[in-house]
């Protein structure tokens, strides 16, 4: 499958159009009106509708993408994992020629972005499928979760955590031909999806062999010595939303952005920032032998665009520095692109040059280490 450069420019133009509209709101609307648009779901409707029409435009220009998407629709399996209609899993089995890989390949769990207030699993089917194929996954599971104003960040994290446990308990997804072995589980997310995924891992990570109890009563977590997943891939992620609030304020978007509305108050942003949570955890675990610190957070790959003005690359760089002492297998790939390009790459899986080539190499290197690491527990 190949997405033309014109279509990539169309997607990037759509993103610029969204930013233009947001800036118009910022410049012409009072704070109370911006909050109303954010809190009533009007912004979500605008963003999701814009994304839908952009997808239609791309498919009209490139019909093969529509055919591939249709094929994914015809072969999708959906499972409800929670009480909300938005809490469902979009499951696709990846077509792999190598039977050995197909029999034992990992399962990719993908959490879509959308600034905590928009986005739907169907919008990311082609992207998630290609990402899964690039890591030799046997299946990809796109997590549906309620977005703001239907749910805030705490509930979104709870939904993703519940989804992961649902998947872990699904023998049909994780079981291999070897009854004594289960497939590895890799969590990936883009933008706010990377934040939600990283936060779920940070709040569930063990400290000196004991898991925090934040989710235990609500989700039934009983794994006191395991991670939720075997590996994490964060793409253009927001890992310190307390600092990101200042970044959005500098752009004049902090009042219309769903991020602030997704928590009780701006003061609570610290409590939902993986970088800050794990930085404190790193201080708490200094006495733990270095060979055990890797259990605080799973092996991780962070990908970010150096020219990202939506979420600056410093977000991933600072998260990398935080993880360095508590997650020995941490790799960060900063490429010459913007916020959307790292995810658009997976609409164009044939391109192996430039920024695309750097991402391919980093993903390949990360997967080789992850799959060959005998000390990484299978879930």
């Amino acid at each position: 499958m190949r997405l033309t450069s014109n279509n990539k420019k169309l997607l990037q133009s759509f993103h610029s159009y969204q930013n233009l509209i947001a800036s118009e709101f910022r410049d012409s609307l009072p704070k109370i009106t911006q909050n109303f648009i954010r809190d009533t779901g009007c912004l979500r409707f605008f963003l999701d509708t814009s994304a839908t029409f952009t997808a239609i435009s791309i498919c009209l220009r490139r019909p093969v993408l529509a055919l591939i998407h249709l094929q994914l629709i015809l072969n999708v399996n959906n499972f409800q994992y929670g009480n909300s209609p938005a809490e469902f899993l979009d499951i696709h089995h990846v077509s792999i020629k190598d039977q050995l890989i197909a029999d034992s390949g990992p399962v990719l769990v993908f959490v879509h972005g959308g600034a905590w207030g928009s986005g739907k699993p169907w919008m990311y089917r082609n992207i998630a499928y290609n990402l899964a194929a690039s890591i030799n996954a046997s299946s990809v599971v796109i997590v549906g979760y309620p977005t703001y104003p239907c749910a805030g960040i705490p509930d979104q994290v709870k939904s993703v955590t519940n989804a992961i446990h649902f998947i872990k308990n699904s023998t049909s997804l994780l079981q291999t031909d070897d009854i004594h072995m289960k497939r590895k589980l890799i969590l990936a997310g883009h933008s706010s999806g990377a934040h939600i995924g990283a936060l779920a891992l940070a709040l569930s990570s063990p400290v000196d062999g004991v898991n925090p109890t934040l989710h235990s009563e609500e989700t039934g977590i009983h794994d006191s010595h395991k991670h939720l997943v075997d590996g994490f891939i964060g793409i253009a992620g927001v890992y310190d939303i307390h600092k990101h609030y200042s970044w959005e304020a500098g752009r004049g978007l902090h009042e219309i952005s769903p991020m602030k509305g997704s928590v009780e108050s701006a003061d609570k942003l610290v409590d939902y920032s993986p970088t800050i949570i794990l930085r404190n955890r790193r201080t708490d675990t200094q006495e733990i032998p270095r060979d055990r610190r890797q259990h605080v957070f799973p092996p991780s790959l962070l990908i970010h665009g150096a020219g990202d003005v939506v979420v600056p690359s410093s977000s991933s760089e600072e998260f990398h520095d935080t993880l360095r002492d508590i997650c020995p297998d941490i790799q960060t790939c900063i490429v010459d692109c913007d916020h959307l390009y790292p995810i658009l790459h997976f609409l164009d899986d044939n391109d192996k040059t430039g920024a695309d080539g750097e991402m391919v190499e980093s993903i390949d290197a990360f997967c080789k280490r992850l799959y060959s690491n005998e000390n990484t527990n299978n879930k």
Side-chain angles (χ1 to χ4, degrees), residues 104-116:
S104 60
V107 173
L108 175 69
V109 181
F110 185 82
V111 184
H112 68 77
W116 302 273

Side-chain angles (χ1 to χ4, degrees), residues 114-118 147-148 151 153 156 192 195-196 238 241 244 258-259 262:
W116 302 273
S118 65
T147 54
Y148 189 79
I153 288 175
Q156 291 171 8
S192 59
H195 164 261
I196 296 168
V238 191
I241 60 174
H244 191 65
M259 185 180 73
S262 294

Side-chain angles (χ1 to χ4, degrees), residues 125-344:
R125 279 180 181 150
N126 296 47
I127 289 170
Y129 185 91
N130 273 342
L131 175 58
S134 73
I135 65 171
N136 290 324
S138 60
S139 301
V140 57
V141 183
I142 309 173
V143 179
Y145 61 92
T147 54
Y148 189 79
C150 294
I153 288 175
D155 288 329
Q156 291 171 8
V157 172
K158 191 183 302 181
S159 292
V160 170
T161 304
N162 284 338
I164 293 172
H165 278 279
F166 183 93
I167 296 166
K168 290 174 72 173
N169 291 327
S170 173
T171 55
S172 61
L173 268 179
L174 296 185
Q175 195 67 55
T176 67
D177 290 342
D178 183 348
I179 61 173
H180 301 294
M181 175 183 175
K182 285 191 175 181
R183 301 181 192 277
K184 290 183 182 294
L185 204 60
I186 299 177
L187 178 65
H190 174 246
S191 194
S192 59
H195 164 261
I196 296 168
L199 184 56
L201 297 179
L203 294 178
S204 302
S205 63
V207 180
D208 198 17
V210 180
N211 266 341
T213 58
L214 179 64
H215 297 301
S216 60
E217 294 181 358
E218 299 164 344
T219 64
I221 294 177
H222 300 295
D223 296 326
S224 61
H225 63 287
K226 295 181 179 179
H227 291 298
L228 284 177
V229 297
D230 295 284
F232 173 70
I233 300 176
I235 305 172
V238 191
Y239 305 110
D240 185 344
I241 60 174
H242 180 260
K243 178 174 287 188
H244 191 65
Y245 178 74
S246 299
W247 178 264
E248 287 195 339
R251 300 174 65 211
L253 302 175
H254 57 302
E255 294 297 341
I256 200 168
S257 168
M259 185 180 73
K260 179 183 177 182
S262 294
V263 296
E264 295 88 341
S265 66
D267 295 337
K268 292 288 185 179
L269 293 170
V270 173
D271 298 334
Y272 302 110
S273 297
T275 297
I276 297 175
I277 293 171
L278 291 172
R279 187 177 295 150
N280 294 334
R281 187 75 50 77
R282 182 178 63 180
T283 301
D284 295 340
T285 58
Q286 288 300 309
E287 300 304 318
I288 298 177
R290 188 171 183 83
D291 61 353
R292 291 186 58 199
R293 293 182 191 174
Q294 61 181 340
H295 299 299
V296 176
F297 203 83
S300 301
L301 168 64
L302 308 178
I303 300 174
H304 217 116
D308 192 338
V309 296
V310 178
V311 181
S313 59
S314 58
S315 173
S316 288
E317 292 168 336
E318 291 174 6
F319 194 44
H320 174 107
D321 290 340
T322 298
L323 292 178
R324 188 168 49 194
D325 291 335
I326 55 178
C327 173
D329 191 357
I330 171 66
Q331 176 185 353
T332 298
C333 177
I334 306 296
V335 293
D336 185 18
C337 62
D338 59 12
H339 185 67
L340 280 182
Y341 198 90
I343 203 74
L344 294 184

Side-chain angles (χ1 to χ4, degrees), residues 21-67:
I21 295 298
S23 65
E24 289 296 322
F25 286 154
R26 172 195 68 195
D27 296 336
S28 61
L29 298 178
K31 173 183 173 181
I32 189 171
T33 305
Q34 292 185 48
N35 291 168
F36 176 83
I37 292 172
R38 178 194 70 194
D39 298 339
T40 57
C42 292
L43 180 65
R44 178 175 62 185
F45 175 80
F46 164 73
L47 294 177
D48 285 346
T49 302
S50 299
T52 300
F53 279 109
T54 301
I56 293 173
S57 298
I58 290 175
C59 288
L60 289 175
R61 293 188 179 193
R62 188 68 171 164
V64 67
L65 293 180
L67 293 175

